[in-house]
Amino acid sequence: MFHRPLILAAMLLPAGVALADTSMPFALDWRFEGPAAPYFVAVDQGLFAAEGLSVEVTAGEGSLDAIPKVATGAFPVGFADLNSLIRFLDQNPGAPVIAAMMVYDKPAFAVIGRKSLGVEAPADLMGKVLGAPPPDGAWAQFPIFAAENDLDMDQITIEPVGFPTREPMLAEGKVAAVTGFSFTSFLNTKRLGVDPEDISVILMADHGVDLYGNAVIVNTDFAAANPEAVTGFLRAVAGGWKATAADPEAAIQALSSRNPGMDAALELERLTLAMETNVMTDWVMENGMGNIDPDRLASAVEQIKLTYEFQNEPDTALYFSDAWLPQDGSLSMQ
């Protein structure tokens, strides 16, 4: 009898009128560039709508940008660097935010060098000049990379550079290598006229750095109240990436309607590099998208300690949860 008024109210709805979709605005980490295309594919193909969700994708201003937006509840979901989230949660204990789906299984942190200037492998940095913007995410991880590869930091000349001058200095030979995101710095250097065969991309994840990259993060208060919506969101995200892998050109078309002034060929190349290097890794192809290796995350936390002093005892259960990942096989990228 308690539920009868609700049932009667539903019966009185006019034919064809549906209940409103759950609103789940999504805060990206950066602008509408190639790697953002899968989310617009999910919108355009009705993958979010099929889950009863209304999703608006919003651009961001960096890997830190989405974390406070989600932690404060301004956005229920966002896209952010897991390592930045770990530090945020250490500095803001109890903040209602956690990673719920790994997307960049390999982070894009890299050293980009010129082969003609003698940089092809980590050891080649010894005695060379490395350009590094002080706020750069890859530069922040460089001490971990150096420790894992037995590099003597005293034998590497660090040249602080600005983001706008980083790749031009590499192209002009004023530095032998730079730190940056693999797909961004590679493409920027190539666009400046450097032969791609002369550009070396040393991905830190391939040289001992166990850190993860960007993940879908969720407000835990929202997730507790709307667990099925969060699972549906993650299912749609996986579907967007799978559809993008099947037809990257169509994905770029979905993106171009939101960023009409972009260079479509450049963004297709950026998307392809990110997808092949950072998202569709061997681990993901074998295990599916979204989850993590707990041992690797524990190792990553130990590596973070090399560059960050925790105020509280680290607890990986605070940083990532697989509780909302769909269990219906939709995470398979095969």
Side-chain angles (χ1 to χ4, degrees), residues 47-161:
L47 303 182
F48 290 122
E51 301 289 346
L53 307 176
S54 174
V55 175
E56 180 180 355
V57 183
T58 302
E61 298 179 358
S63 60
L64 294 172
D65 190 50
I67 298 173
K69 289 178 179 177
V70 174
T72 59
F75 286 77
V77 282
F79 191 59
D81 171 48
L82 180 64
N83 312 292
S84 300
L85 176 65
I86 289 171
R87 290 189 288 270
F88 177 88
L89 287 169
D90 181 58
Q91 296 161 16
N92 300 274
V97 58
I98 196 168
M101 180 186 207
M102 185 54 57
V103 177
Y104 288 171
D105 181 55
K106 279 188 179 181
F109 307 134
V111 173
I112 296 86
R114 295 277 302 279
K115 296 177 184 177
S116 59
L117 298 177
V119 177
E120 293 190 52
D124 296 335
L125 293 170
M126 305 283 274
K128 303 293 196 308
V129 179
L130 175 70
D136 177 43
W139 167 243
Q141 318 309 331
F142 188 81
I144 299 173
F145 172 76
E148 291 295 328
N149 291 277
D150 298 321
L151 302 182
D152 184 350
M153 294 281 284
D154 291 336
Q155 294 188 42
I156 303 173
T157 301
I158 308 301
E159 180 72 27
V161 299

Side-chain angles (χ1 to χ4, degrees), residues 18-294:
L19 296 175
D21 288 343
T22 300
S23 176
M24 288 189 70
F26 182 43
L28 286 182
D29 62 328
W30 195 235
R31 306 179 186 123
F32 293 169
E33 295 182 342
Y39 310 112
F40 296 114
V41 170
V43 171
D44 290 352
Q45 292 192 1
L47 303 182
F48 290 122
E51 301 289 346
L53 307 176
S54 174
V55 175
E56 180 180 355
V57 183
T58 302
E61 298 179 358
S63 60
L64 294 172
D65 190 50
I67 298 173
K69 289 178 179 177
V70 174
T72 59
F75 286 77
V77 282
F79 191 59
D81 171 48
L82 180 64
N83 312 292
S84 300
L85 176 65
I86 289 171
R87 290 189 288 270
F88 177 88
L89 287 169
D90 181 58
Q91 296 161 16
N92 300 274
V97 58
I98 196 168
M101 180 186 207
M102 185 54 57
V103 177
Y104 288 171
D105 181 55
K106 279 188 179 181
F109 307 134
V111 173
I112 296 86
R114 295 277 302 279
K115 296 177 184 177
S116 59
L117 298 177
V119 177
E120 293 190 52
D124 296 335
L125 293 170
M126 305 283 274
K128 303 293 196 308
V129 179
L130 175 70
D136 177 43
W139 167 243
Q141 318 309 331
F142 188 81
I144 299 173
F145 172 76
E148 291 295 328
N149 291 277
D150 298 321
L151 302 182
D152 184 350
M153 294 281 284
D154 291 336
Q155 294 188 42
I156 303 173
T157 301
I158 308 301
E159 180 72 27
V161 299
F163 286 115
T165 59
R166 171 175 54 189
E167 289 84 14
M169 290 184 70
L170 180 61
E172 294 166 11
K174 294 180 179 178
V175 296
V178 297
T179 62
F181 272 30
S182 53
F183 44 81
T184 297
S185 287
F186 170 79
L187 289 176
N188 288 349
T189 305
K190 176 184 170 183
R191 290 183 75 190
L192 291 170
V194 178
D195 184 348
E197 294 299 318
D198 186 35
I199 304 172
S200 58
V201 178
I202 306 171
L203 201 66
M204 293 184 185
D206 290 338
H207 295 275
V209 177
D210 285 337
L211 305 182
Y212 279 98
N214 281 34
V216 174
I217 61 175
V218 62
N219 180 281
T220 52
D221 293 337
F222 177 89
N226 303 275
E228 292 183 1
V230 174
T231 297
F233 183 90
L234 300 181
R235 183 184 294 111
V237 166
W241 275 102
K242 192 168 185 176
T244 296
D247 193 346
E249 291 83 1
I252 290 299
Q253 287 299 313
L255 179 68
S256 66
S257 65
R258 280 82 175 185
N259 185 6
M262 74 181 197
D263 181 333
L266 175 70
E267 296 311 327
L268 175 60
E269 190 170 5
R270 195 192 310 273
L271 169 62
T272 302
L273 287 171
M275 192 158 46
E276 292 179 351
T277 305
N278 309 108
V279 181
M280 305 295 184
T281 63
D282 291 343
W283 195 91
V284 168
M285 298 310 291
E286 180 178 347
N287 297 281
M289 186 178 186
N291 217 329
I292 62 161
D293 176 348

Side-chain angles (χ1 to χ4, degrees), residues 1-16:
M1 295 296 292
F2 179 78
H3 297 291
R4 179 168 292 181
L6 294 177
I7 296 171
L8 291 174
M11 291 173 64
L12 291 173
L13 283 173

